[in-house]
Amino acid sequence: MISRWGTARESLRKAASGPAVTYGLIAVCCAIFVISPVSGLNPVFGLGDRLLAAQAAYFERWGVIPAELTAGSRGALLTPLTALFVHGSWLHLLGNMLFLFVFGAMAEERMGQVQFVLFYIGAGYVALLAFAVVNADSEQTLVGASGAISAVLGAFLFLFPRARVTSLFPFLFFLPLRFPAWAVLIFWFVLQWLAARGAGSGPGVAYLAHLVGFGAGFVYAWGRYGRGTRVNASAATEGESQP
């Protein structure tokens, strides 16, 4: 009886704690966005032209500007870290947080909290830095957690290739269908690669950062865990993903 009670209590403790880092990252990103001028909810930044000016200053201060980062500015070296917690719109925020919610929990459980947060920040920094190096002359501001979350997807693909996720595909009339994680993530990667090839030099999505992050995450998981510790999870993850 005592053994059963101890096991049940341990299970409840683990369920209550959950993927604390994943939930914490989501909470921090959402809180920062809500109080920022980008959300439009903070009356401190005003309306109209005043709000637009505040948004531009906000991105310039906390986002990555490739020309400044590659020039070696000391302050700019920190911007890949701050940019991971800045998002450009409600859609940008919600899309990123949805992917992090779906794929982050299992990756965190496999890696451990400390290792997961270091992996997330490190891979995100590398992804943004790679984009800046390739676009060294650009003065367009880059923000968002997409590079770090792409790394989580890459690691998830290696660690849990047989897990199943609920996905919404536009060409299937947005029906919620369950697919193997490997199929969803490879499809996502191909879309990013095709989009990166067709992307111009003007404003848009930093697809290159997505590809670098994904590759970095996969390579890290392969190098850290190897084939012997690969997890063949058949259990479904929670939530929905939209490639």
Side-chain angles (χ1 to χ4, degrees):
M1 179 66 69
I2 294 177
S3 177
R4 290 182 179 179
W5 169 251
T7 301
R9 184 171 58 181
E10 180 66 15
S11 298
L12 288 174
R13 185 188 66 79
K14 290 182 178 180
S17 60
V21 172
T22 297
Y23 293 161
L25 289 170
I26 293 174
V28 170
C29 286
C30 290
I32 290 175
F33 183 82
V34 168
I35 65 176
S36 76
V38 186
S39 69
L41 299 177
N42 194 336
V44 172
F45 299 106
L47 300 171
D49 292 339
R50 181 184 170 190
L51 178 60
L52 293 177
Q55 292 173 351
Y58 177 72
F59 291 138
E60 185 175 347
R61 179 176 181 181
W62 302 112
V64 173
I65 301 177
E68 294 183 4
L69 181 58
T70 54
S73 170
R74 181 175 298 181
L77 291 176
L78 294 177
T79 56
L81 299 179
T82 58
L84 290 176
F85 299 93
V86 176
H87 290 83
S89 67
W90 281 100
L91 185 60
H92 188 200
L93 172 73
L94 295 176
N96 274 347
M97 295 306 99
L98 177 61
F99 270 93
L100 181 56
F101 175 76
V102 171
F103 295 100
M106 290 178 67
E108 178 186 343
E109 181 180 359
R110 180 67 184 87
M111 294 182 183
Q113 294 180 351
V114 175
Q115 186 175 340
F116 180 75
V117 72
L118 293 176
F119 160 76
Y120 180 91
I121 293 175
Y125 191 104
V126 169
L128 292 175
L129 179 62
F131 180 88
V133 170
V134 174
N135 299 274
D137 297 329
S138 174
E139 295 185 357
Q140 179 186 344
T141 306
L142 179 64
V143 297
S146 301
I149 295 172
S150 297
V152 173
L153 302 187
F156 190 99
L157 176 60
F158 180 84
L159 294 172
F160 306 101
R162 296 185 182 179
R164 299 181 70 84
V165 295
T166 301
S167 302
L168 303 177
F169 291 92
F171 55 83
L172 294 178
F173 306 103
F174 293 98
L175 294 175
L177 302 174
R178 302 189 74 77
F179 294 94
W182 66 265
V184 174
L185 294 177
I186 290 178
F187 178 74
W188 176 89
F189 181 86
V190 171
L191 288 182
Q192 303 303 305
W193 180 72
L194 292 174
R197 293 192 62 186
S201 59
V205 180
Y207 295 107
L208 177 61
H210 299 179
L211 295 175
V212 171
F214 188 92
F218 187 91
V219 169
Y220 172 82
W222 173 75
R224 174 65 177 81
Y225 298 99
R227 296 177 61 87
T229 56
R230 198 170 185 178
V231 180
N232 294 322
S234 59
T237 58
E238 297 297 327
E240 297 176 348
S241 63
Q242 181 179 354

